Amino acid sequence: MGTTAEGSPTAVFDWFFEAARPSSLQEDPLILRQFPPDFRDQEAMQMVPKFCFPFDVEREPPSPAVQHFTFALTDLVGNRRFGFCRLRAGARSCLCILSHLPWFEVFYKVLNTVGDLLAQDQVSEAEETLLNLLQQDPPGPQATPRLELGSGAAISSGQGAPPVPGKSRLLPCFVVPDSGCLPSIPENRNLTELVVAVTDENLVGLFAALLAERRVLLTASKLSTLTSCVHASCALLYPMRWEHVLIPTLPPHLLDYCCAPMPYLIGVHASLAEKVRDKALEDVVVLNVDSNTLETPFEDVRALPPDVVSLLRLRLRKAALTPGEGVSRLFLKAQALLFGGYRDALVYSPGLPATFSEESFLAQKPGAPLQAFHQRAVHLQLFKQFIEARLEKLNSGEGFSDEFEQEITRCGASSGTLRSYQLWADNLKKGGGALLHSVKAKTQPAVKNIYRSARSGWKGMQSLLVYKDGDSGLHRGGSLRAPALTSRSERLQQRLPITRHFGQNRPLRPSKRLRLEEITYKPPGERSPSLSPEDTPGLWPEEALDSSFLGSGEELDLLSEILDSLSIETKSTSSLRPSQSLDCCHQGDPGTCFSLPHRPGRTSWQPEDQTELEPQPRSLPGDLSTLHNCQSLDATSYPQNPTAQTRPKANQVPSQFSATAADLSTEGNPEASPAIPPGIQHHPGSGLSAEPTQPSPPDSPQLLLVPPESTSDTTWTSPSLESSLDPSSPEDPGAQLPELLLPHAEEQGIPDTSVSHTRGGPEPQAARRPRVADLKKCFES
Amino acid sequence: MSMEDYDFLFKIVLIGNAGVGKTCLVRRFTQGLFPPGQGATIGVDFMIKTVEINGEKVKLQIWDTAGQERFRSITQSYYRSANALILTYDITCEESFRCLPEWLREIEQYASNKVITVLVGNKIDLAERREVSQQRAEEFSEAQDMYYLETSAKESDNVEKLFLDLACRLISEARQNTLVNNVSSPLPGEGKSISYLTCCNFN
């Protein structure tokens, strides 16, 4: 969803301010401080602070704890700006950053950092942090922040400006979200809050209402939950966008706007909900997040094809409990099934711009529920805009091989007009050559996959077969593809990532192996053609995920809980590419839902049934001294050590990891793919070094701040590792990498893999229930 | 907006290209009666005007959204809960007139979902720069079964008349609709099925 296309923002943020809570609904909030100090936009100064207190200020403050939430402003031409807020404990005042960039986790973290500094009266330090951020270049022109698919793959740091010599003060480091990734749990805070707060049935209902472009009201008593649910539900529509009015939190002075006759998605704080209800709303879908009730006068779920609904219902519960992209991918699949047929309705006439034939779109699947859905869908703004955007991309030669397209291919929702597209593109190429690269982009993932699969053994072969099948457009006549086959192919495909997941997700990594000193970020926005799960360097973010879980005991707990309830069959994180940024924002803030007051330590880490486990070395993240020791070790010598321990312990692990290493070697070369726009130096290392890998012991927010000159950072930028990850020598690491990875296996991989393999099937519901509660607990701060 | 201070409440949505003076039109109509656009920050704005027609209080809510210019056409979902649409173009701008069919594409396609649509040619104060003749516009609106009016938001010409006529027509539609509703109620939310028996005087 998100902002409308616009020129790239001129700055990372426009305005930071702190506003005091007014004592009555009639008063305006006072601005207590601001940055830059000379900010003089009168209109903004008058209008925006009101959005910082979108609740009935005359009642009890919404929550005694610190809350993060994000409002959205839409200007007269439809450009969107976000206000990232940190409401202080007791809601006495609110810190807010106004920015065009939908970088939720980044700005929450900035707010925490700044808030902590201000709380200690370190005003100049706070300003320095903000100044540093302001001095960063905003993303380039191709980076339209169109999606709130916040996941991170690249890093930014507060150190873009060279540190002042002699100053050893810690400066924070921020990870810029990569909009090319699907939102991932738990890194994407919005999505995580949504799936925790809203049950699967209501999530389907909400999705259906949004897909029908209804007027949708969300109410919740927690602002962070409220706005997260609004933003995340928009993101579920990907690749479509919510094209209508979007007001994540409606301030009290604008309650009348709930009477709008056009589609909207509005969040209203529970303290204002009654007043809104009094306004005689008609035909409005209301989701009360607190009571988890969805009221709708429509039958939007029934209007969706039954197979899509049952897919969502069947998989959602499990996906919501699974870390990674599962939920996003599930909705992506639903979207692919619903709209994927658009591809067959594209008309490529040689020498002419591609067009969309509504007639042939509506003629698909005659008599099927999908056809009825399509008849309504063509009157949706989101569909119209989607088609327009696709055609524009196509005709400008950008191509359109993104996650959505790949999902369509994968689930056979299109009979595959790849061929005609190719011919047309070739034709165009003769004229201008513009489209060639997008054709390449389509074939590239398959090629890569073959290569990798060949090296990853038996499971890889399975997924290779399926993937080839899917990608080469063999599913002619989409309707003939039995659902069973689809799901089987999906399962098979997921095998590979699962292996990788279990093998690698847990281990304690040498932190910050490759931290870049300079800010390099992959611009958010345009989803580039390389985003297939196969050819994205999925490994890097996984690494980052690991360490993100090192951040706090609770996160570790969360992961282990979730992993426990994992079943191979339904796991749908076909690639884990989580954002690396979220950890920072929850760690630092005792008031956020993610951070927990107590650290359960290692015990929480281990799956409940420890009896099944092999004894594991006490090297898990709880043990920070290990972490630090590791870092001080020479990078090359480090791997040897644990390797020696590992081998005798579990024989299956090395093979798994060598397979992974093979992946790594292929994946370590993102620049070979057309994904990375030329000129953007997305060093593979930058993904690896993504910020969460910094040594951030769980208990102190201060530790988020990374010393610019920290030598521990660079320790891990060991020559061998770096060279092995160097895109110019992708084959090189073959020999080394397995060793490099083994330590992780030793540390954490083994127990998990063994558990997962022995258990296999899903856990009984009863066993999982308490975990949901646990998961939920961490949102109730 | 409590229930008791009006007999009818109608929601009217403004659509049209950028720069045709939609906002001015509404501001002129409600001038001094409603504080100007609070909603400029959230991408949607509305004004309220209450008029009296034959002794009945009619409250008009006129809604305008930001950024609709990026839509080539507005789909049904946008206006299905509106009672009327005001489609505006600029008589001094041929381009804004030529875009009208695009804007109307969705509306004409499915008669069952029709809302009352009024075509407004704005900026008649700039008559010397007129690019679209009144006759052309009238022919067009007739073909589309729309009421047509030329206004000047600047000079206040016809603005009052536009909204009064619209209110009048909406009342009659509403009455008609309640009669129709007793026989067969339309699907909830799928737009009121409005019949086109006009009893108001539109000339």
Side-chain angles (χ1 to χ4, degrees), chain A residues 514-706:
Chain A
L514 295 172
R515 281 194 79 254
L516 286 197
E517 287 302 306
E518 287 179 3
I519 167 171
T520 31
Y521 47 71
K522 193 171 168 186
E526 292 309 313
R527 300 174 57 81
S528 43
S530 79
L531 293 170
S532 95
E534 274 70 27
D535 79 353
T536 315
L539 198 60
W540 312 140
E542 277 179 50
E543 298 243 338
L545 176 64
D546 305 343
S547 37
S548 81
F549 282 112
L550 303 181
S552 76
E554 182 51 24
E555 284 159 355
L556 297 172
D557 195 26
L558 191 114
L559 178 63
S560 63
E561 304 265 23
I562 291 166
L563 284 176
D564 279 355
S565 56
L566 243 174
S567 101
I568 292 180
E569 258 60 48
T570 47
K571 173 97 170 52
S572 47
T573 46
S574 63
S575 75
L576 274 170
R577 263 172 293 118
S579 129
Q580 292 93 350
S581 53
L582 188 61
D583 63 312
C584 333
C585 74
H586 6 118
Q587 281 175 19
D589 187 352
T592 45
C593 23
F594 285 85
S595 65
L596 285 181
H598 71 102
R599 311 284 158 194
R602 285 189 63 246
T603 46
S604 69
W605 228 99
Q606 295 172 338
E608 285 152 85
D609 35 3
Q610 291 187 9
T611 46
E612 283 184 45
L613 301 180
E614 298 178 32
Q616 44 175 326
R618 293 186 48 86
S619 58
L620 293 192
D623 191 347
L624 284 166
S625 61
T626 317
L627 174 59
H628 290 302
N629 288 345
C630 287
Q631 284 177 341
S632 60
L633 283 174
D634 179 28
T636 44
S637 70
Y638 166 73
Q640 313 297 340
N641 212 359
T643 308
Q645 297 172 9
T646 309
R647 278 189 174 136
K649 274 194 181 152
N651 287 333
Q652 85 268 36
V653 172
S655 68
Q656 231 166 14
F657 276 88
S658 60
T660 317
D663 296 350
L664 182 64
S665 65
T666 44
E667 286 177 333
N669 193 4
E671 274 158 31
S673 78
I676 315 289
I680 288 153
Q681 286 300 317
H682 179 58
H683 193 282
S686 69
L688 230 197
S689 65
E691 181 244 13
T693 49
Q694 65 186 277
S696 35
D699 12 26
S700 162
Q702 254 60 15
L703 287 155
L704 295 171
L705 312 181
V706 177

Side-chain angles (χ1 to χ4, degrees), chain B residues 119-138:
Chain B
L119 180 65
V120 170
N122 195 22
K123 304 196 186 178
I124 50 170
D125 49 296
L126 302 173
E128 71 281 2
R129 282 163 48 192
R130 181 189 276 272
E131 288 181 5
V132 183
S133 76
Q134 187 165 356
Q135 194 197 347
R136 228 174 111 202
E138 271 166 3

